[in-house]
Amino acid sequence: MTLDFNALRELKKDQDTFQHPDFYAIDDLLTDEHKLIRNAVRDWVKREVSPIIEACCQEAVFPHHLIKGLGEVGCFGPQIPAEYGGGGLDYISYGLAMQELERGDSGIRSTASVQGSLVMYPIYKFGSEQQKHTYLPKLASGEWMGCFGLTEPDHGSDPSSMKTRLTRQNGKYILNGSKMWISNAPFADIAVVWAMNDDGKVQGVIVERGMAGFTTPETHNKWSLRASATGELVFDQVEIPEENILPGVVGLKGPLTCLNSARYGISWGAIGAAMDCYVSAVKYAKERKQFGKPIGAFQLQQKKLSEMLTEITKAQVLTWRLGTLMNEGKASPAQISLAKRNNVDMALNIAREARQIHGAMGITGEYPIMRHMANLESVITYEGTHDIHLLILGMEITGENAFS
Ligand code: TGC
Ligand code: FAD
């Protein structure tokens, strides 16, 4: 399906007038730089994403043309040092950028968080100087796109049982196996892939499109994240040059360290989706009249709206504090799990309540509600499911591992 993006942009120009709720004046805790980044991404989303995103989701089209703009507005690796092409910004700036992108659509935030936290970050953290200089600047600008392969058809929550193998054969490294549910896979130029080496340890490698035996079939028929491209990574005797192996880490802590950064970004992103649903619900409740009054005059609707604002405000305070801990290098994986788990669940509940406030209109593409709700069904599953994050917290509290 070909969409006329220029026509859509013209048709829906200036229609997105979003202002974020800030009941506890969280803005007072932000620096001028934070607000600058937040506003720049928000303006870009209003101009480039909002007018086209509904059509993209309806038609299940990934808007490739947005990649350049995402790079220009600094959404690819804002937390990566500037010497490698990143934004050199702090974690609150990174979080605010993810919030604004997900306010537009979870799929667009997904594209950016995979690129920044799951492709650039491992290369920055675990790569050689040569790998950093070769890949990071091109990934920061969006000239190259990447994806992150951890999940396999038979191993999602339990990546330590992965089957993908990196073996030494006749002095060469050979990769065999497959990954599934990989965001950006169908168009990625490179893939950061985690495989089991000959010592039975997880090892990261950079696989480049065009390497013989490497294919990326697209996954179709999704009811969620329809504006994001998802696919498989298939490795059939792929020869990996030694310089493509990430030298800085061995073991599952490699991919899990990257997930800390991405899960943190999601905790902010989910607030964006929740805000969009809340703002739409408030407007609708004030305008829609039944029984001679705006529905917002009825107690039941006020309860829904009050609880939404309460939950958004709690999530804003939580993520701001987590951001300061991230900046100080003190955020623990369990603290990140708490925020990802709480905020995505919060956003999904708000989407469901907002859908009810919009009545039948809530199921249409006239409003963003159903799109956010369907997207959040993926967000609550990827980067560690809702239940896995609960078990991470349970282990932190009790010292007992209830995973296995
Ligand atoms: P376990 O034995 O607990 O740990 C193995 C090693 O890893 C260390 N570790 C961590 N290191 C850094 N950060 C963390 N969060 C860490 N968690 C654990 C740990 O200290 C240990 O190190 P060492 O040195 O002793 O070896 O591992 P386990 O096999 O028992 O698994 C634990 C569990 C279940 C929590 C983990 O496997 C897990 O988180 N599973 C969920 C899998 C997941 O989140 N997959 C996400 C795939 S990527 C994705 O979804 C991208 S979507 C992107 C988008 O579109 O936005
Ligand atoms: P399973 O692990 O099979 O879990 C099924 C159910 O069992 C869940 O409810 C889970 O909570 C529960 N469960 C599992 N283990 C336990 C336990 N020990 N105790 C209690 N309950 C348990 N992966 C990547 O590597 N890269 C990507 O870019 C990526 N993008 C994605 C994009 C989308 C749109 C989606 C939907 C997924 C993506 N994923 C990606 C995969 C994602 O990370 C996995 O789907 C997720 O980790 C869960 O794995 P699974 O789907 O195999 O579920």
Side-chain angles (χ1 to χ4, degrees), residues 1-12 15 48-66 104-105 108 222 225-228 364-368 371-372 375:
M1 171 79 188
T2 315
L3 292 172
D4 186 341
F5 293 119
N6 287 332
L8 282 168
R9 251 198 316 264
E10 199 47 39
L11 189 71
K12 303 207 172 179
Q15 282 187 11
E48 301 292 339
V49 178
S50 301
I52 65 162
I53 196 65
E54 184 60 36
C56 290
C57 283
Q58 294 276 356
E59 302 299 334
V61 167
F62 172 71
H64 285 271
H65 70 283
L66 293 184
D105 190 78
I108 305 301
K222 292 181 300 172
L225 284 191
R226 287 169 63 78
S228 161
T364 72
E366 294 299 308
Y367 296 90
R371 179 168 52 79
H372 283 308
N375 284 341

mmCIF file of all heavy atoms in Angstrom, residues 1-12 15 48-66 104-105 108 222 225-228 364-368 371-372 375:
data_model
loop_
_atom_site.group_PDB
_atom_site.id
_atom_site.type_symbol
_atom_site.label_atom_id
_atom_site.label_comp_id
_atom_site.label_asym_id
_atom_site.label_seq_id
_atom_site.Cartn_x
_atom_site.Cartn_y
_atom_site.Cartn_z
ATOM 1 N N MET A 1 0.855 -1.203 0.000
ATOM 2 C CA MET A 1 0.000 0.000 0.000
ATOM 3 C C MET A 1 0.889 1.250 0.000
ATOM 4 O O MET A 1 1.801 1.359 0.820
ATOM 5 C CB MET A 1 -0.881 -0.031 1.262
ATOM 6 C CG MET A 1 -1.672 1.238 1.513
ATOM 7 S SD MET A 1 -3.115 1.283 0.454
ATOM 8 C CE MET A 1 -3.714 2.931 0.746
ATOM 9 N N THR A 2 0.649 2.172 -0.926
ATOM 10 C CA THR A 2 1.417 3.424 -0.942
ATOM 11 C C THR A 2 0.574 4.523 -0.325
ATOM 12 O O THR A 2 -0.569 4.746 -0.741
ATOM 13 C CB THR A 2 1.760 3.809 -2.398
ATOM 14 O OG1 THR A 2 2.212 2.641 -3.062
ATOM 15 C CG2 THR A 2 2.836 4.877 -2.438
ATOM 16 N N LEU A 3 1.118 5.205 0.651
ATOM 17 C CA LEU A 3 0.393 6.312 1.287
ATOM 18 C C LEU A 3 0.980 7.620 0.792
ATOM 19 O O LEU A 3 2.192 7.738 0.633
ATOM 20 C CB LEU A 3 0.530 6.228 2.807
ATOM 21 C CG LEU A 3 -0.172 5.049 3.489
ATOM 22 C CD1 LEU A 3 0.204 4.987 4.965
ATOM 23 C CD2 LEU A 3 -1.676 5.173 3.358
ATOM 24 N N ASP A 4 0.108 8.607 0.578
ATOM 25 C CA ASP A 4 0.574 9.925 0.150
ATOM 26 C C ASP A 4 0.835 10.764 1.409
ATOM 27 O O ASP A 4 -0.060 11.442 1.924
ATOM 28 C CB ASP A 4 -0.488 10.575 -0.754
ATOM 29 C CG ASP A 4 0.016 11.887 -1.339
ATOM 30 O OD1 ASP A 4 0.986 12.445 -0.788
ATOM 31 O OD2 ASP A 4 -0.568 12.340 -2.333
ATOM 32 N N PHE A 5 2.065 10.694 1.906
ATOM 33 C CA PHE A 5 2.385 11.360 3.172
ATOM 34 C C PHE A 5 2.260 12.878 3.073
ATOM 35 O O PHE A 5 1.831 13.534 4.013
ATOM 36 C CB PHE A 5 3.792 10.956 3.635
ATOM 37 C CG PHE A 5 3.901 9.500 4.012
ATOM 38 C CD1 PHE A 5 4.770 8.651 3.342
ATOM 39 C CD2 PHE A 5 3.121 8.974 5.030
ATOM 40 C CE1 PHE A 5 4.861 7.310 3.686
ATOM 41 C CE2 PHE A 5 3.202 7.633 5.386
ATOM 42 C CZ PHE A 5 4.072 6.797 4.708
ATOM 43 N N ASN A 6 2.620 13.438 1.921
ATOM 44 C CA ASN A 6 2.520 14.907 1.773
ATOM 45 C C ASN A 6 1.067 15.351 1.882
ATOM 46 O O ASN A 6 0.742 16.327 2.564
ATOM 47 C CB ASN A 6 3.092 15.357 0.422
ATOM 48 C CG ASN A 6 4.601 15.267 0.435
ATOM 49 O OD1 ASN A 6 5.222 15.377 1.499
ATOM 50 N ND2 ASN A 6 5.193 15.039 -0.727
ATOM 51 N N ALA A 7 0.188 14.606 1.222
ATOM 52 C CA ALA A 7 -1.244 14.970 1.262
ATOM 53 C C ALA A 7 -1.780 14.842 2.686
ATOM 54 O O ALA A 7 -2.530 15.710 3.166
ATOM 55 C CB ALA A 7 -2.029 14.075 0.303
ATOM 56 N N LEU A 8 -1.387 13.784 3.370
ATOM 57 C CA LEU A 8 -1.860 13.584 4.752
ATOM 58 C C LEU A 8 -1.367 14.706 5.664
ATOM 59 O O LEU A 8 -2.105 15.230 6.501
ATOM 60 C CB LEU A 8 -1.359 12.243 5.293
ATOM 61 C CG LEU A 8 -2.109 11.002 4.825
ATOM 62 C CD1 LEU A 8 -1.340 9.739 5.197
ATOM 63 C CD2 LEU A 8 -3.506 10.952 5.437
ATOM 64 N N ARG A 9 -0.089 15.068 5.483
ATOM 65 C CA ARG A 9 0.480 16.151 6.311
ATOM 66 C C ARG A 9 -0.277 17.448 6.096
ATOM 67 O O ARG A 9 -0.580 18.182 7.021
ATOM 68 C CB ARG A 9 1.957 16.341 5.966
ATOM 69 C CG ARG A 9 2.897 15.857 7.064
ATOM 70 C CD ARG A 9 4.274 16.433 6.906
ATOM 71 N NE ARG A 9 4.728 16.392 5.536
ATOM 72 C CZ ARG A 9 5.491 15.429 5.026
ATOM 73 N NH1 ARG A 9 5.880 14.437 5.773
ATOM 74 N NH2 ARG A 9 5.875 15.470 3.777
ATOM 75 N N GLU A 10 -0.610 17.723 4.831
ATOM 76 C CA GLU A 10 -1.320 18.962 4.494
ATOM 77 C C GLU A 10 -2.740 18.929 5.076
ATOM 78 O O GLU A 10 -3.224 19.894 5.678
ATOM 79 C CB GLU A 10 -1.356 19.103 2.952
ATOM 80 C CG GLU A 10 -1.630 20.485 2.428
ATOM 81 C CD GLU A 10 -0.802 21.588 3.083
ATOM 82 O OE1 GLU A 10 0.392 21.383 3.355
ATOM 83 O OE2 GLU A 10 -1.400 22.665 3.364
ATOM 84 N N LEU A 11 -3.387 17.772 4.919
ATOM 85 C CA LEU A 11 -4.786 17.614 5.374
ATOM 86 C C LEU A 11 -4.908 17.806 6.885
ATOM 87 O O LEU A 11 -5.865 18.403 7.370
ATOM 88 C CB LEU A 11 -5.245 16.205 4.989
ATOM 89 C CG LEU A 11 -6.719 15.865 5.172
ATOM 90 C CD1 LEU A 11 -7.550 16.622 4.134
ATOM 91 C CD2 LEU A 11 -6.946 14.362 5.024
ATOM 92 N N LYS A 12 -3.936 17.300 7.630
ATOM 93 C CA LYS A 12 -4.056 17.294 9.098
ATOM 94 C C LYS A 12 -3.113 18.299 9.763
ATOM 95 O O LYS A 12 -2.861 18.219 10.969
ATOM 96 C CB LYS A 12 -3.780 15.887 9.632
ATOM 97 C CG LYS A 12 -4.705 14.858 9.021
ATOM 98 C CD LYS A 12 -4.898 13.691 9.931
ATOM 99 C CE LYS A 12 -5.975 12.774 9.406
ATOM 100 N NZ LYS A 12 -6.192 11.622 10.215
ATOM 101 N N GLN A 15 -3.428 20.206 13.369
ATOM 102 C CA GLN A 15 -4.571 19.653 14.122
ATOM 103 C C GLN A 15 -4.166 19.130 15.499
ATOM 104 O O GLN A 15 -4.982 19.036 16.399
ATOM 105 C CB GLN A 15 -5.227 18.516 13.330
ATOM 106 C CG GLN A 15 -6.118 19.047 12.220
ATOM 107 C CD GLN A 15 -6.898 17.938 11.539
ATOM 108 O OE1 GLN A 15 -6.948 16.805 12.000
ATOM 109 N NE2 GLN A 15 -7.495 18.266 10.405
ATOM 110 N N GLU A 48 5.271 15.812 11.959
ATOM 111 C CA GLU A 48 5.616 14.692 11.069
ATOM 112 C C GLU A 48 4.890 13.384 11.383
ATOM 113 O O GLU A 48 4.649 12.590 10.478
ATOM 114 C CB GLU A 48 7.133 14.431 11.113
ATOM 115 C CG GLU A 48 7.985 15.615 10.707
ATOM 116 C CD GLU A 48 7.841 15.968 9.231
ATOM 117 O OE1 GLU A 48 7.412 15.111 8.439
ATOM 118 O OE2 GLU A 48 8.148 17.130 8.898
ATOM 119 N N VAL A 49 4.589 13.146 12.667
ATOM 120 C CA VAL A 49 4.014 11.842 13.034
ATOM 121 C C VAL A 49 2.494 11.905 13.108
ATOM 122 O O VAL A 49 1.796 11.100 12.459
ATOM 123 C CB VAL A 49 4.589 11.343 14.393
ATOM 124 C CG1 VAL A 49 3.964 10.008 14.798
ATOM 125 C CG2 VAL A 49 6.115 11.216 14.319
ATOM 126 N N SER A 50 1.958 12.835 13.873
ATOM 127 C CA SER A 50 0.509 12.847 14.123
ATOM 128 C C SER A 50 -0.334 12.836 12.840
ATOM 129 O O SER A 50 -1.338 12.109 12.775
ATOM 130 C CB SER A 50 0.125 14.045 15.001
ATOM 131 O OG SER A 50 0.823 13.970 16.216
ATOM 132 N N PRO A 51 0.029 13.612 11.810
ATOM 133 C CA PRO A 51 -0.841 13.623 10.627
ATOM 134 C C PRO A 51 -0.883 12.299 9.855
ATOM 135 O O PRO A 51 -1.836 12.043 9.134
ATOM 136 C CB PRO A 51 -0.237 14.732 9.744
ATOM 137 C CG PRO A 51 0.619 15.550 10.650
ATOM 138 C CD PRO A 51 1.114 14.604 11.703
ATOM 139 N N ILE A 52 0.150 11.472 10.013
ATOM 140 C CA ILE A 52 0.216 10.282 9.139
ATOM 141 C C ILE A 52 0.044 8.962 9.889
ATOM 142 O O ILE A 52 -0.151 7.924 9.279
ATOM 143 C CB ILE A 52 1.569 10.223 8.386
ATOM 144 C CG1 ILE A 52 2.735 10.018 9.378
ATOM 145 C CG2 ILE A 52 1.798 11.485 7.553
ATOM 146 C CD1 ILE A 52 4.006 9.525 8.694
ATOM 147 N N ILE A 53 0.131 9.007 11.239
ATOM 148 C CA ILE A 53 0.322 7.750 11.970
ATOM 149 C C ILE A 53 -0.898 6.841 11.937
ATOM 150 O O ILE A 53 -0.773 5.605 11.868
ATOM 151 C CB ILE A 53 0.805 8.017 13.424
ATOM 152 C CG1 ILE A 53 1.384 6.741 14.033
ATOM 153 C CG2 ILE A 53 -0.284 8.607 14.296
ATOM 154 C CD1 ILE A 53 2.630 6.240 13.374
ATOM 155 N N GLU A 54 -2.069 7.443 11.964
ATOM 156 C CA GLU A 54 -3.276 6.608 11.928
ATOM 157 C C GLU A 54 -3.321 5.813 10.614
ATOM 158 O O GLU A 54 -3.583 4.606 10.621
ATOM 159 C CB GLU A 54 -4.518 7.496 12.089
ATOM 160 C CG GLU A 54 -5.821 6.736 12.154
ATOM 161 C CD GLU A 54 -5.908 5.752 13.326
ATOM 162 O OE1 GLU A 54 -5.390 6.049 14.413
ATOM 163 O OE2 GLU A 54 -6.494 4.672 13.119
ATOM 164 N N ALA A 55 -3.042 6.493 9.513
ATOM 165 C CA ALA A 55 -3.068 5.803 8.214
ATOM 166 C C ALA A 55 -1.988 4.715 8.170
ATOM 167 O O ALA A 55 -2.229 3.615 7.644
ATOM 168 C CB ALA A 55 -2.861 6.813 7.085
ATOM 169 N N CYS A 56 -0.813 5.012 8.727
ATOM 170 C CA CYS A 56 0.262 4.002 8.734
ATOM 171 C C CYS A 56 -0.183 2.751 9.482
ATOM 172 O O CYS A 56 0.062 1.627 9.042
ATOM 173 C CB CYS A 56 1.518 4.557 9.397
ATOM 174 S SG CYS A 56 2.344 5.814 8.433
ATOM 175 N N CYS A 57 -0.835 2.967 10.640
ATOM 176 C CA CYS A 57 -1.269 1.805 11.436
ATOM 177 C C CYS A 57 -2.392 1.051 10.735
ATOM 178 O O CYS A 57 -2.387 -0.172 10.689
ATOM 179 C CB CYS A 57 -1.707 2.255 12.828
ATOM 180 S SG CYS A 57 -0.293 2.604 13.873
ATOM 181 N N GLN A 58 -3.341 1.805 10.211
ATOM 182 C CA GLN A 58 -4.444 1.130 9.506
ATOM 183 C C GLN A 58 -3.912 0.253 8.371
ATOM 184 O O GLN A 58 -4.403 -0.838 8.141
ATOM 185 C CB GLN A 58 -5.431 2.169 8.935
ATOM 186 C CG GLN A 58 -6.194 2.971 9.988
ATOM 187 C CD GLN A 58 -7.436 2.265 10.531
ATOM 188 O OE1 GLN A 58 -7.790 1.191 10.070
ATOM 189 N NE2 GLN A 58 -8.074 2.873 11.525
ATOM 190 N N GLU A 59 -2.897 0.757 7.663
ATOM 191 C CA GLU A 59 -2.373 0.036 6.501
ATOM 192 C C GLU A 59 -1.162 -0.825 6.836
ATOM 193 O O GLU A 59 -0.585 -1.447 5.948
ATOM 194 C CB GLU A 59 -1.989 1.038 5.391
ATOM 195 C CG GLU A 59 -3.128 1.935 4.919
ATOM 196 C CD GLU A 59 -4.295 1.144 4.333
ATOM 197 O OE1 GLU A 59 -4.061 0.024 3.841
ATOM 198 O OE2 GLU A 59 -5.436 1.644 4.399
ATOM 199 N N ALA A 60 -0.758 -0.830 8.113
ATOM 200 C CA ALA A 60 0.437 -1.583 8.543
ATOM 201 C C ALA A 60 1.669 -1.224 7.711
ATOM 202 O O ALA A 60 2.352 -2.078 7.150
ATOM 203 C CB ALA A 60 0.176 -3.085 8.502
ATOM 204 N N VAL A 61 1.932 0.088 7.652
ATOM 205 C CA VAL A 61 3.074 0.587 6.883
ATOM 206 C C VAL A 61 4.063 1.262 7.839
ATOM 207 O O VAL A 61 3.671 2.122 8.632
ATOM 208 C CB VAL A 61 2.589 1.625 5.826
ATOM 209 C CG1 VAL A 61 3.761 2.408 5.235
ATOM 210 C CG2 VAL A 61 1.807 0.930 4.724
ATOM 211 N N PHE A 62 5.336 0.891 7.755
ATOM 212 C CA PHE A 62 6.345 1.601 8.538
ATOM 213 C C PHE A 62 6.765 2.847 7.750
ATOM 214 O O PHE A 62 7.179 2.744 6.591
ATOM 215 C CB PHE A 62 7.569 0.704 8.795
ATOM 216 C CG PHE A 62 8.699 1.464 9.437
ATOM 217 C CD1 PHE A 62 8.601 1.871 10.763
ATOM 218 C CD2 PHE A 62 9.833 1.807 8.714
ATOM 219 C CE1 PHE A 62 9.626 2.610 11.358
ATOM 220 C CE2 PHE A 62 10.867 2.538 9.301
ATOM 221 C CZ PHE A 62 10.748 2.936 10.627
ATOM 222 N N PRO A 63 6.657 4.027 8.357
ATOM 223 C CA PRO A 63 7.008 5.263 7.628
ATOM 224 C C PRO A 63 8.519 5.486 7.535
ATOM 225 O O PRO A 63 9.103 6.236 8.320
ATOM 226 C CB PRO A 63 6.320 6.365 8.461
ATOM 227 C CG PRO A 63 6.185 5.799 9.838
ATOM 228 C CD PRO A 63 6.149 4.303 9.727
ATOM 229 N N HIS A 64 9.145 4.852 6.555
ATOM 230 C CA HIS A 64 10.610 4.909 6.412
ATOM 231 C C HIS A 64 11.134 6.333 6.321
ATOM 232 O O HIS A 64 12.239 6.621 6.772
ATOM 233 C CB HIS A 64 11.041 4.160 5.138
ATOM 234 C CG HIS A 64 10.970 2.672 5.277
ATOM 235 N ND1 HIS A 64 12.020 1.929 5.755
ATOM 236 C CD2 HIS A 64 9.974 1.807 5.014
ATOM 237 C CE1 HIS A 64 11.667 0.646 5.780
ATOM 238 N NE2 HIS A 64 10.426 0.552 5.339
ATOM 239 N N HIS A 65 10.313 7.216 5.727
ATOM 240 C CA HIS A 65 10.812 8.577 5.498
ATOM 241 C C HIS A 65 11.057 9.324 6.817
ATOM 242 O O HIS A 65 11.720 10.349 6.819
ATOM 243 C CB HIS A 65 9.842 9.365 4.617
ATOM 244 C CG HIS A 65 8.554 9.714 5.297
ATOM 245 N ND1 HIS A 65 7.534 8.820 5.498
ATOM 246 C CD2 HIS A 65 8.138 10.874 5.865
ATOM 247 C CE1 HIS A 65 6.544 9.409 6.142
ATOM 248 N NE2 HIS A 65 6.881 10.662 6.377
ATOM 249 N N LEU A 66 10.507 8.819 7.956
ATOM 250 C CA LEU A 66 10.709 9.512 9.233
ATOM 251 C C LEU A 66 12.107 9.278 9.824
ATOM 252 O O LEU A 66 12.515 9.986 10.749
ATOM 253 C CB LEU A 66 9.662 9.059 10.266
ATOM 254 C CG LEU A 66 8.207 9.437 9.987
ATOM 255 C CD1 LEU A 66 7.327 9.001 11.160
ATOM 256 C CD2 LEU A 66 8.044 10.937 9.771
ATOM 257 N N GLY A 104 3.291 10.169 20.292
ATOM 258 C CA GLY A 104 2.916 10.026 18.881
ATOM 259 C C GLY A 104 2.492 8.601 18.568
ATOM 260 O O GLY A 104 1.390 8.359 18.091
ATOM 261 N N ASP A 105 3.368 7.652 18.862
ATOM 262 C CA ASP A 105 3.036 6.241 18.612
ATOM 263 C C ASP A 105 4.135 5.355 19.202
ATOM 264 O O ASP A 105 5.325 5.652 19.046
ATOM 265 C CB ASP A 105 2.932 5.959 17.109
ATOM 266 C CG ASP A 105 2.357 4.583 16.830
ATOM 267 O OD1 ASP A 105 1.134 4.411 16.935
ATOM 268 O OD2 ASP A 105 3.141 3.657 16.522
ATOM 269 N N ILE A 108 6.920 4.249 16.790
ATOM 270 C CA ILE A 108 7.976 5.212 16.451
ATOM 271 C C ILE A 108 8.990 5.257 17.598
ATOM 272 O O ILE A 108 10.202 5.271 17.377
ATOM 273 C CB ILE A 108 7.378 6.616 16.178
ATOM 274 C CG1 ILE A 108 6.297 6.533 15.084
ATOM 275 C CG2 ILE A 108 8.462 7.617 15.796
ATOM 276 C CD1 ILE A 108 6.768 5.988 13.757
ATOM 277 N N LYS A 222 0.019 -8.493 12.465
ATOM 278 C CA LYS A 222 0.030 -7.982 13.844
ATOM 279 C C LYS A 222 -1.175 -7.067 14.036
ATOM 280 O O LYS A 222 -1.494 -6.268 13.165
ATOM 281 C CB LYS A 222 1.293 -7.149 14.100
ATOM 282 C CG LYS A 222 2.595 -7.919 14.118
ATOM 283 C CD LYS A 222 3.768 -6.966 14.396
ATOM 284 C CE LYS A 222 3.873 -5.905 13.343
ATOM 285 N NZ LYS A 222 4.840 -4.849 13.641
ATOM 286 N N LEU A 225 1.399 -2.462 17.270
ATOM 287 C CA LEU A 225 2.615 -1.885 16.683
ATOM 288 C C LEU A 225 2.619 -2.042 15.159
ATOM 289 O O LEU A 225 3.617 -2.479 14.571
ATOM 290 C CB LEU A 225 3.875 -2.541 17.264
ATOM 291 C CG LEU A 225 4.312 -2.143 18.667
ATOM 292 C CD1 LEU A 225 5.700 -2.667 18.970
ATOM 293 C CD2 LEU A 225 4.312 -0.641 18.885
ATOM 294 N N ARG A 226 1.507 -1.635 14.566
ATOM 295 C CA ARG A 226 1.374 -1.851 13.120
ATOM 296 C C ARG A 226 2.226 -0.881 12.285
ATOM 297 O O ARG A 226 2.494 -1.135 11.120
ATOM 298 C CB ARG A 226 -0.102 -1.778 12.711
ATOM 299 C CG ARG A 226 -0.877 -3.016 13.163
ATOM 300 C CD ARG A 226 -2.367 -2.839 13.004
ATOM 301 N NE ARG A 226 -2.827 -2.663 11.637
ATOM 302 C CZ ARG A 226 -2.971 -3.627 10.743
ATOM 303 N NH1 ARG A 226 -2.668 -4.881 11.086
ATOM 304 N NH2 ARG A 226 -3.415 -3.365 9.527
ATOM 305 N N ALA A 227 2.654 0.227 12.917
ATOM 306 C CA ALA A 227 3.527 1.151 12.179
ATOM 307 C C ALA A 227 5.003 0.861 12.452
ATOM 308 O O ALA A 227 5.869 1.660 12.117
ATOM 309 C CB ALA A 227 3.194 2.597 12.545
ATOM 310 N N SER A 228 5.277 -0.275 13.087
ATOM 311 C CA SER A 228 6.665 -0.676 13.336
ATOM 312 C C SER A 228 6.902 -1.963 12.564
ATOM 313 O O SER A 228 6.031 -2.825 12.505
ATOM 314 C CB SER A 228 6.846 -0.912 14.846
ATOM 315 O OG SER A 228 7.984 -1.682 15.112
ATOM 316 N N THR A 364 -12.806 3.995 16.931
ATOM 317 C CA THR A 364 -12.453 4.440 15.575
ATOM 318 C C THR A 364 -11.069 5.084 15.550
ATOM 319 O O THR A 364 -10.525 5.476 16.580
ATOM 320 C CB THR A 364 -13.458 5.492 15.051
ATOM 321 O OG1 THR A 364 -13.234 6.728 15.776
ATOM 322 C CG2 THR A 364 -14.899 5.052 15.232
ATOM 323 N N GLY A 365 -10.575 5.268 14.331
ATOM 324 C CA GLY A 365 -9.295 5.941 14.137
ATOM 325 C C GLY A 365 -9.416 7.455 14.200
ATOM 326 O O GLY A 365 -8.433 8.165 13.977
ATOM 327 N N GLU A 366 -10.592 7.960 14.508
ATOM 328 C CA GLU A 366 -10.744 9.411 14.696
ATOM 329 C C GLU A 366 -9.990 9.850 15.947
ATOM 330 O O GLU A 366 -9.673 11.027 16.112
ATOM 331 C CB GLU A 366 -12.222 9.782 14.878
ATOM 332 C CG GLU A 366 -13.103 9.553 13.671
ATOM 333 C CD GLU A 366 -12.653 10.390 12.484
ATOM 334 O OE1 GLU A 366 -12.495 11.613 12.655
ATOM 335 O OE2 GLU A 366 -12.425 9.791 11.410
ATOM 336 N N TYR A 367 -9.815 8.923 16.865
ATOM 337 C CA TYR A 367 -9.142 9.208 18.134
ATOM 338 C C TYR A 367 -7.960 8.238 18.273
ATOM 339 O O TYR A 367 -7.994 7.138 17.723
ATOM 340 C CB TYR A 367 -10.131 9.045 19.310
ATOM 341 C CG TYR A 367 -11.254 10.059 19.240
ATOM 342 C CD1 TYR A 367 -12.424 9.785 18.555
ATOM 343 C CD2 TYR A 367 -11.094 11.312 19.825
ATOM 344 C CE1 TYR A 367 -13.428 10.743 18.456
ATOM 345 C CE2 TYR A 367 -12.096 12.270 19.738
ATOM 346 C CZ TYR A 367 -13.267 11.981 19.050
ATOM 347 O OH TYR A 367 -14.242 12.929 18.948
ATOM 348 N N PRO A 368 -6.950 8.616 19.059
ATOM 349 C CA PRO A 368 -5.746 7.764 19.093
ATOM 350 C C PRO A 368 -5.839 6.585 20.053
ATOM 351 O O PRO A 368 -4.909 5.795 20.164
ATOM 352 C CB PRO A 368 -4.669 8.745 19.607
ATOM 353 C CG PRO A 368 -5.414 9.706 20.478
ATOM 354 C CD PRO A 368 -6.787 9.864 19.851
ATOM 355 N N ARG A 371 -5.490 2.735 19.040
ATOM 356 C CA ARG A 371 -4.128 2.512 18.517
ATOM 357 C C ARG A 371 -3.140 2.401 19.683
ATOM 358 O O ARG A 371 -2.332 1.466 19.735
ATOM 359 C CB ARG A 371 -3.762 3.669 17.569
ATOM 360 C CG ARG A 371 -2.381 3.594 16.973
ATOM 361 C CD ARG A 371 -2.225 4.600 15.831
ATOM 362 N NE ARG A 371 -2.605 5.951 16.193
ATOM 363 C CZ ARG A 371 -1.849 6.799 16.891
ATOM 364 N NH1 ARG A 371 -0.652 6.416 17.303
ATOM 365 N NH2 ARG A 371 -2.282 8.018 17.173
ATOM 366 N N HIS A 372 -3.232 3.346 20.640
ATOM 367 C CA HIS A 372 -2.326 3.260 21.793
ATOM 368 C C HIS A 372 -2.575 1.961 22.568
ATOM 369 O O HIS A 372 -1.637 1.303 23.013
ATOM 370 C CB HIS A 372 -2.546 4.440 22.740
ATOM 371 C CG HIS A 372 -1.928 5.742 22.266
ATOM 372 N ND1 HIS A 372 -0.609 5.849 21.896
ATOM 373 C CD2 HIS A 372 -2.452 6.991 22.121
ATOM 374 C CE1 HIS A 372 -0.340 7.098 21.547
ATOM 375 N NE2 HIS A 372 -1.435 7.814 21.667
ATOM 376 N N ASN A 375 -1.104 -0.945 20.763
ATOM 377 C CA ASN A 375 0.369 -0.872 20.841
ATOM 378 C C ASN A 375 0.870 -1.320 22.206
ATOM 379 O O ASN A 375 1.851 -2.064 22.327
ATOM 380 C CB ASN A 375 0.845 0.574 20.626
ATOM 381 C CG ASN A 375 0.795 0.996 19.169
ATOM 382 O OD1 ASN A 375 0.741 0.151 18.279
ATOM 383 N ND2 ASN A 375 0.805 2.289 18.925
#
